[in-house]
Amino acid sequence: MTDIRYVLEAHEHELIAFRRHLHTQPEASGKEYLTTELLVERLSLEGLKPHVLGSGTGVVCDIPLDPEAPVRPGETPIVALRADIDGLEMEDLTGAPYRSRFPGLAHACGHDVHTAAVLGAALALLQVRQNAPREGVVRLIFEPSEEAVPGGALEVIAEGWLEHVNSIYGVHCDPKLDVGTLGVRSGPLTSAADQFAIELGGPGGHTARPRETVDLIRWTARVADRLWDEVQARLDHPVTLVFGSVHTGAAANVIPASAFLRGSFRTADRPTWAAGEDTIRDALAALFEEDGIGEPPRWALEYGRGLPPVVNDAATSQLVREVVARQFGPTAVSETPQSVGGDTFAWYTERIPGTYVRLGTHDPDSGDTRQDLHSATFDVDERSIGIGATVLAGCAIAALD
């Protein structure tokens, strides 16, 4: 553990610079070519042999902790450390000197921090290997397309990179926690998350005569305003149904002929998740059967099955607690609640034991205002990079030992 802290302190400025470089060039899901190239270049510089995923983005790289020992599949223990590498399709309004150079793209979910943290863990583990070789392999997974559904984790799994892996660890930025604090939870950490699109249609017409056509704007407003309540009334467990995109119309005096609404459906309950599509379809049919607006529109629902919840393993979560307490003291560990968000880390924990850790990123000296994830002004206290790297490297060593 002393070696890990020493190495990461020595690389602190490099890791911050690496994160800022990533922050200036966020890339959309499935298009992370510059990020992939940068990772391959840096890992190769350390004498490692990074592998680019078949889609052309995303990287997997093994670190044998005893380079002289043969790696025996199924016998040599393997621990994986995972980071997601894609950005979000939104503007960066931080005003930071390292803000995004790419219009309409931003690292507003902290994936640049996650990537730098796993890289930092790799640098620390290479030093550990030099000072005290031991049996085992640490597999670095830099996953593409986390923000897309169902996510790049399935490509990682399909290529066989989870085979013979004993456990997996990752960190995710959490601005609700102060820097230096890490949130750990055994059991469900996130919620199931699906995405859907609704298309409405009608003949269109003149705004002077809404009763002679399908008043599509009012129907669109009804769906956007009431669908969540209608769906919730049909289910026993809480859900979150929110629209992130509504598009219709272009002129003030024209009733449009089409409307498109896109949203997400989230729940912490698996049976409720399974019932999501049918429930939304039933609720829509009921809304369009109501009168008060006039002739109902044509409608179609396109439903995208998304992600299960991330479920943290009890044993690996206890290991994380012990590692954090040993590295930063017992007060650095907090119990974190289950969130409504979703994450592709769920695909890993469905198959092998693992723990996803909440990484505190808020600078307490900056005041009480905390920018949420996916906010255009989201940024982090960069001390969190070294802390995340320290915890990940410590978990890898502890798990192998």
Side-chain angles (χ1 to χ4, degrees):
M1 295 299 176
T2 302
D3 285 345
I4 292 171
R5 295 289 292 273
Y6 174 78
V7 173
L8 288 172
E9 286 172 4
H11 285 280
E12 179 182 12
H13 294 300
E14 179 196 353
L15 293 175
I16 290 174
F18 187 87
R19 178 257 166 171
R20 292 186 177 187
H21 188 162
L22 293 178
H23 200 88
T24 66
Q25 57 175 45
E27 297 172 284
S29 299
K31 300 178 181 178
E32 309 94 336
Y33 298 105
L34 294 174
T35 304
T36 296
E37 181 181 352
L38 190 64
L39 286 166
V40 168
E41 179 182 318
R42 185 63 186 88
L43 294 168
S44 298
L45 194 62
E46 297 297 328
L48 298 172
K49 298 178 180 178
H51 170 87
V52 177
L53 296 178
S55 64
T57 66
V59 179
V60 178
C61 186
D62 284 353
I63 303 177
L65 293 186
D66 184 351
E68 303 301 322
V71 176
R72 300 178 297 276
E75 297 181 27
T76 302
I78 303 175
V79 172
L81 305 179
R82 175 269 200 176
D84 37 16
I85 66 173
D86 52 335
L88 286 162
E89 296 188 47
M90 58 179 288
E91 296 297 335
D92 181 342
L93 302 181
T94 59
Y98 48 84
R99 63 187 176 275
S100 173
R101 296 184 288 109
F102 299 163
L105 290 166
H107 267 304
C109 197
H111 295 192
D112 51 343
V113 174
H114 309 162
T115 302
V118 170
L119 174 63
L123 298 177
L125 290 166
L126 288 168
Q127 186 65 49
V128 169
R129 180 175 78 173
Q130 180 176 328
N131 295 347
R134 68 196 69 207
E135 183 184 18
V137 172
V138 177
R139 177 162 293 164
L140 314 175
I141 298 175
F142 296 96
E143 177 196 321
S145 301
E146 192 282 327
E147 296 291 353
V149 174
L154 293 181
E155 181 183 5
V156 173
I157 294 166
E159 290 194 13
W161 293 108
L162 219 59
E163 292 178 13
H164 308 304
V165 175
N166 301 95
S167 58
I168 187 168
Y169 301 86
V171 295
H172 197 294
C173 292
D174 189 343
K176 296 187 293 298
L177 297 176
D178 287 346
V179 67
T181 302
L182 295 106
V184 183
R185 176 186 177 88
S186 300
L189 176 72
T190 66
S191 296
D194 295 344
Q195 295 182 2
F196 62 89
I198 302 168
E199 181 178 358
L200 307 183
H206 200 295
T207 55
R209 293 176 288 278
R211 291 293 182 181
E212 296 179 14
T213 186
V214 174
D215 194 348
L216 205 63
I217 295 287
R218 293 187 68 191
W219 281 111
T220 302
R222 173 175 283 187
V223 171
D225 178 51
R226 291 184 48 192
L227 184 59
W228 184 355
D229 291 336
E230 292 293 329
V231 168
Q232 186 63 79
R234 291 166 167 77
L235 297 169
D236 295 328
H237 290 270
V239 302
T240 300
L241 190 157
V242 176
F243 290 98
S245 173
V246 179
H247 292 280
T248 185
N253 61 345
V254 176
I255 294 175
S258 62
F260 302 91
L261 304 92
R262 293 177 174 84
S264 62
F265 173 84
R266 303 171 186 270
T267 180
D269 181 68
R270 271 184 169 269
T272 302
W273 179 45
E277 179 177 1
D278 289 343
T279 307
I280 290 175
R281 198 174 296 279
D282 291 345
L284 283 170
L287 283 175
F288 294 131
E289 287 173 1
E290 294 181 6
D291 55 17
I293 294 181
E295 182 182 350
R298 302 185 306 276
W299 64 277
L301 171 67
E302 180 182 332
Y303 198 88
R305 186 77 161 157
L307 310 169
V310 173
V311 180
N312 283 343
D313 176 73
T316 57
S317 297
Q318 182 58 29
L319 180 144
V320 172
R321 292 185 185 95
E322 293 171 0
V323 167
V324 173
R326 193 158 63 245
Q327 291 171 327
F328 300 104
T331 59
V333 189
S334 68
E335 188 69 16
T336 194
Q338 183 175 6
S339 79
V340 183
D343 197 288
T344 59
F345 198 84
W347 296 122
Y348 305 123
T349 59
E350 284 233 311
R351 290 163 173 80
I352 62 172
T355 294
Y356 208 25
V357 184
R358 299 298 190 194
L359 177 65
T361 60
H362 176 68
D363 179 1
D365 294 332
S366 66
D368 294 330
T369 301
R370 298 171 188 259
Q371 297 296 333
D372 197 5
L373 300 169
H374 293 211
S375 164
T377 54
F378 174 75
D379 207 347
V380 303
D381 184 323
E382 290 174 317
R383 289 175 292 178
S384 60
I385 300 169
I387 293 169
T390 302
V391 170
L392 290 171
C395 286
I397 294 298
L400 291 172
D401 286 348

